Amino acid sequence: MERKKLLIADDSEMNRAILANMLEQDYEIMEVSDGKEALAALQIYRKDLSALLLDVVMPGMDGFQVVQTLRQRGVRTPIIIVSGRKEDYDTLYGLDIGADDYVT
């Protein structure tokens, strides 16, 4: 039986490793280090992905921009923002633009 796939997008290698370590028994993990790579990976693997775990603060294209771009394109892959940014504004904004959950 093929395992479900998760895409982790975070510029911190350590954060990606922590998330991958927690989830690798149940999912096949794919990792990217910025927003543009996340969009490219979703273009290729969208139908195979169970969810995108997305950091907010990344160079170039941040996580909020990734969410907006994906939702504007009609991509319905579940997006879970995983961020150290704990302000209510960030959480509400992330959910308002289309993230399915916001975890700090």
Side-chain angles (χ1 to χ4, degrees):
M1 182 169 158
E2 189 173 328
R3 292 188 304 165
K4 295 180 180 183
K5 294 178 177 62
L6 287 180
L7 176 62
I8 300 172
D10 194 316
D11 62 321
S12 167
E13 187 174 341
M14 182 173 60
N15 289 347
R16 291 193 315 268
I18 290 168
L19 288 169
N21 188 46
M22 291 180 351
L23 299 165
E24 66 188 358
Q25 291 212 351
D26 298 315
Y27 296 92
E28 180 180 333
I29 304 297
M30 301 170 60
E31 299 179 27
V32 295
S33 61
D34 65 40
K36 289 183 181 183
E37 289 178 0
L39 292 178
L42 272 152
Q43 183 89 14
I44 297 167
Y45 300 107
R46 179 170 79 192
K47 293 179 179 158
D48 298 326
L49 289 176
S50 294
L52 166 61
L53 303 182
L54 181 65
D55 184 29
V56 172
V57 180
M58 294 184 291
M61 176 178 265
D62 71 25
F64 292 140
Q65 292 169 316
V66 172
V67 173
Q68 289 174 314
T69 300
L70 291 172
R71 295 310 188 222
Q72 287 170 352
R73 292 179 181 174
V75 175
R76 297 307 316 154
T77 300
I79 300 171
I80 301 168
I81 295 175
V82 180
S83 179
R85 293 177 65 163
K86 299 177 184 180
E87 294 81 13
D88 288 341
Y89 169 80
D90 291 315
T91 303
L92 293 173
Y93 182 68
L95 296 172
D96 187 52
I97 61 172
D100 295 283
D101 203 355
Y102 193 110
V103 180
T104 57

